[in-house]
Amino acid sequence: MLTPTEFVDDVMTIVQQRDPGEPEFHQAVREIAESITPVIERNPEFRRAQIFERIIEPERLIVFRVPWVDDAGRIHVNRGYRVQFNSAIGPYKGGLRFHPSVNLSIIKFLGFEQIFKNALTTTPIGGGKGGSDFDPKGKSDLEVMRFCQSFMSELYQHIGPDTDVPAGDIGVGAREVGYLYGQYKRLANCFVGVLTGKSIDWGGSQVRTEATGYGLVYFVTHLLQARGRDWQGLRVIISGSGNVAIYAAERAARLGATIVAMSDSGGYIVDSAGIKLDTVKRIKEVERRRICEYVDEHPSAEYHEGPHGIWSLPCDVALPSATQNELDGDAARQLVENNCVAVGEGANMPCTPEAVHVFAENGVNFGPAKAANAGGVATSALEMTQNSTRESWTFEQVDARLRNIMRSIYNQCLQAADEYGQPGDLVAGANIASFLKVGRSMLAQGVV
Ligand code: NDP
Ligand code: 2IT
């Protein structure tokens, strides 16, 4: 009989020996390994076929040089990555992150999480992720274009509409997807759905821009319903002010919530009357400036240096939507003290393991990232469907599908948690339901 500790220890020994110096990847592997021990016990064929031991090794890892020339004629060299982690249930799918902090550990944790997230979406997509340590901040449009063209000059040979379909993530939005797509099309001489998050004018899907944030709010709606509540009158804190944060704020505000605080990497703004989203959108999406400038236009609001203090504010719901490990145990205890009732992870792995533990101990309803933020990639899969059938669905059609998908994800998590004796634990439920789907698919396809 395998004890849970033995299984987790065995797995962690493998990744720590094979992949030293990858703390974020180890963190993501440990969380899943801990949750799925009962699945391995109940399904010995998974153990015999070494399913988890195979899942933790990417099918393919591509690392490449990205040279580019700035506006002053200086040459820069960045590093590009694409991890094609698992294709058991469909083509590799996952975003590209452009941020100076990007390294192999971060790309692998994101790619690993993506396998399980994508399995929950009910759509047939495998897991992948990529990016670069390039920093788009402060660069001109032409510099960003030259960088994207150089990045795609290598990447194009590894991707395809039935092979691997990248999209956006931190630092990669509509502008970058446009430049990346232009270069792909030129090199491949082929107009296909090889990227998602495209503009509506040339193959994008309605709702993709809004999908991660809207989907997060649809998911948290179920958490609130479980407590007999809705969004009306709730005070909500959202970290970040990028794609996920902005559209989560928009949807929650439309449902009657007051968004009291948002942030960027420099600090956070507090507006107890409710943050004016039009101002945030203009500052962050159009002008690409800093969130602190919000208070110049709304003097009753406050700005505080440093992003971490945002969790000390009183709120009913917290939606960490900036980056990994941004909400730690102390922040979680502060939220609990302030009577926060629900937390939905908009970012990938934003809560540390200690924070997740604090929420569970204190009865805070918690939506883990791979379930709560899956609306973005799910809508990417809907974009792929529209591209391959050359259809364009209306906003209402896509939004209705997104709501159904988020409901299905919530139900899958609840059911799996129940079946494996951990009722209400959505972290366990998300990990078990997704692992079962990927694991069964790998079993069926043999040792590959
Ligand atoms: P954006 O680039 O649009 O916005 C990122 C936001 O997070 C910005 O406000 C940024 O501040 C802040 N941020 C980024 N890095 C840090 C950091 N190291 N410390 C503090 N703040 C930081 O990215 P997205 O909104 O697309 O992504 C946000 C999160 O959501 C990421 O974890 C991403 O993986 C996840 N996600 C995204 C999806 C999508 O469809 N876009 C889908 C599912 C998950 P600043 O402007 O100062 O850099
Ligand atoms: O983390 C994520 O799910 C994303 N960045 C979206 C990926 C996608 O392919 O739409």
Side-chain angles (χ1 to χ4, degrees), residues 22-28 31 97 105-106 109-110 170 239 307-308 311 320-331 345 347-356 369:
E22 297 183 6
E24 292 86 0
F25 178 55
H26 298 168
Q27 184 182 334
E31 186 208 286
R97 175 177 292 191
S105 175
I106 288 179
F109 114 69
L110 289 164
I170 291 177
S239 62
H308 301 296
W311 309 119
S321 303
T323 194
Q324 63 276 355
N325 291 327
E326 56 166 312
L327 196 167
D328 63 12
D330 288 339
E345 292 189 311
N348 286 307
M349 208 167 78
C351 299
T352 64
E354 189 190 355
V356 178

Side-chain angles (χ1 to χ4, degrees), residues 95 97-99 101 109-110 114 117 129 135 137 167-173 208-209 211-213 239-246 263-267 284 289-291 307-308 320-324 326 345-350 369 372-377 380:
R97 175 177 292 191
F98 292 170
H99 192 273
S101 63
F109 114 69
L110 289 164
Q114 200 83 42
K117 181 195 306 194
K129 200 84 187 189
D135 185 0
K137 270 204 207 85
D169 193 82
I170 291 177
V172 178
R208 178 62 191 88
T209 304
T212 311
S239 62
S241 47
N243 174 264
V244 178
I246 285 176
S263 63
D264 64 15
S265 56
K284 297 303 284 188
R289 286 168 27 215
R290 311 301 300 154
I291 198 82
H308 301 296
S321 303
T323 194
Q324 63 276 355
E326 56 166 312
E345 292 189 311
N348 286 307
M349 208 167 78
N373 75 31
V377 73
S380 280

Side-chain angles (χ1 to χ4, degrees), residues 331-345:
R333 279 182 281 275
Q334 283 193 304
L335 287 166
V336 168
E337 267 171 41
N338 287 333
N339 297 318
C340 173
V341 296
V343 175
E345 292 189 311

Side-chain angles (χ1 to χ4, degrees), residues 139-177:
K139 306 290 190 300
S140 70
D141 285 353
L142 284 177
E143 288 174 328
V144 171
M145 181 183 79
R146 286 193 290 272
F147 174 81
C148 288
Q149 289 176 340
S150 180
F151 185 88
M152 186 53 84
S153 297
E154 171 65 31
L155 188 67
Y156 91 98
Q157 58 190 308
H158 305 289
I159 62 177
D162 297 315
T163 306
D164 183 357
V165 183
D169 193 82
I170 291 177
V172 178
R175 174 182 62 172
E176 290 74 19
V177 168

